[in-house]
Structure formats: structure tokens, C-alpha cells
Amino acid sequence: MMNTHDFIPVIKIVLSDKRVIITAVIVFIFMDLCAYIVRYRKKPKTPKAKKTVAAPAPAPAEKADENGGDNAAGGEE
């Protein structure tokens, strides 16, 4: 039966193996991706500012009377 002091060199050899290190990195990346997917929340859509179309300029007001209409009493004739 092996005692605790005999396990240390074996553990050191196993943890320094390339396959164990690569597998640990891949598992870490996979778990991180899974955690990201679980926590992902879609951002709410922000309403876009509507483009305002300039209203057409109002037609010039037509004069009711060419000779001064309202100002007929004190105007020039």
C-alpha cells in the first residue's frame, strides 16, 4: 500500500501531462461558454428616432382686395 508521500510524485507527473492540461483548458472554455449562454439576456430594442418630414410651406395668403381692402378709408388711391 502506498502512503501519502508516494502519491506526490505520481500526482505531479499526471498534472504536468500535456493531455491533462489540454483537456482541462477545453473543459474550462466549454463551461465558460455554457455559463455565458445561461446568463445571456437580449438587449431590449431601443426605438429609433423617426425621421421628421418637413411639412410643405403654406401657400402665400392671397390678398382679398388688391386696392387695400381693409385699409380703404385712409389709404392712397
Side-chain angles (χ1 to χ4, degrees):
M1 187 102 201
M2 295 178 80
N3 59 16
T4 308
H5 296 291
D6 294 336
F7 280 124
I8 293 176
V10 174
I11 292 172
K12 187 175 178 183
I13 292 170
V14 169
L15 292 179
S16 64
D17 187 28
K18 289 181 186 178
R19 293 172 290 188
V20 173
I21 294 171
I22 292 171
T23 304
V25 169
I26 290 173
V27 168
F28 177 75
I29 292 172
F30 179 73
M31 294 297 287
D32 194 40
L33 177 66
C34 290
Y36 174 77
I37 291 171
V38 167
R39 290 185 313 235
Y40 180 76
R41 294 283 184 254
K42 195 170 187 177
K43 293 180 182 178
K45 289 186 177 181
T46 55
K48 294 183 180 179
K50 293 183 179 179
K51 294 181 181 178
T52 56
V53 178
E62 296 182 21
K63 293 182 181 179
D65 187 57
E66 292 289 330
N67 294 331
D70 295 336
N71 197 7
E76 299 176 8
E77 291 185 28

